[in-house]
Amino acid sequence: MNRDVKIQIASNTAKSIYEAYPNLWERFGERGFLRTEEDNMHHLDHLETAFELQDQQVFIDYSKWLETVLTSRNVETALIVDNFERLIKVLPGNVNAKEEEFMIACLACANKELSAR
């Protein structure tokens, strides 16, 4: 994935989350918003790694670890699931078809795992 595309996806996803949940500004402020952008870059990096390895478990393991870290910082699992849903919607057209199919499957599997916990 092109780095500029990745930055755009991460930024737009963070903006859409903070627009949908304006209370996040009160809870986490500007620093939280910047962390959300950074987190989305990490999500995309891990999706790319999983794709390169052709191993969905890489991303699923990352998502479980992420949940542990973020919930310890008072970020609800539902926000992680929501974030992944937003990525599912934005990936089409921004990555090639094989990456798109694989990455969307990873995100959907991760959401299934996180929602079952």
Side-chain angles (χ1 to χ4, degrees):
M1 183 182 318
N2 175 308
R3 178 135 176 93
D4 290 337
V5 169
K6 209 189 276 191
I7 291 168
Q8 190 66 40
I9 290 171
S11 178
N12 288 343
T13 302
K15 287 175 187 170
S16 71
I17 291 168
Y18 271 68
E19 286 171 5
Y21 303 98
N23 67 321
L24 294 177
W25 287 109
E26 295 167 16
R27 289 176 59 194
F28 302 112
E30 181 71 20
R31 184 166 186 236
F33 176 80
L34 295 174
R35 289 283 186 199
T36 303
E37 284 183 318
E38 288 174 23
D39 287 348
N40 274 281
M41 289 295 289
H42 294 305
H43 305 338
L44 295 169
D45 288 342
H46 280 83
L47 285 168
E48 282 184 315
T49 299
F51 177 74
E52 289 168 8
L53 297 172
Q54 286 298 293
D55 186 356
Q56 285 187 3
Q57 195 62 45
V58 169
F59 188 77
I60 292 167
D61 291 345
Y62 161 74
S63 69
K64 291 176 186 176
W65 169 83
L66 176 70
E67 179 190 34
T68 302
V69 171
L70 292 182
T71 56
S72 75
R73 296 179 180 151
N74 296 317
V75 175
E76 302 83 9
T77 301
L79 281 174
I80 302 167
V81 171
D82 179 87
N83 192 143
F84 289 175
E85 286 296 326
R86 290 171 194 277
L87 289 174
I88 287 169
K89 291 175 183 168
V90 75
L91 283 174
N94 284 304
V95 295
N96 73 48
K98 287 183 180 182
E99 283 180 309
E100 177 184 318
E101 182 180 350
F102 183 88
M103 291 177 177
I104 288 172
C106 285
L107 290 160
C109 286
N111 272 353
K112 185 177 178 182
E113 290 273 335
L114 293 175
S115 296
R117 295 164 73 91

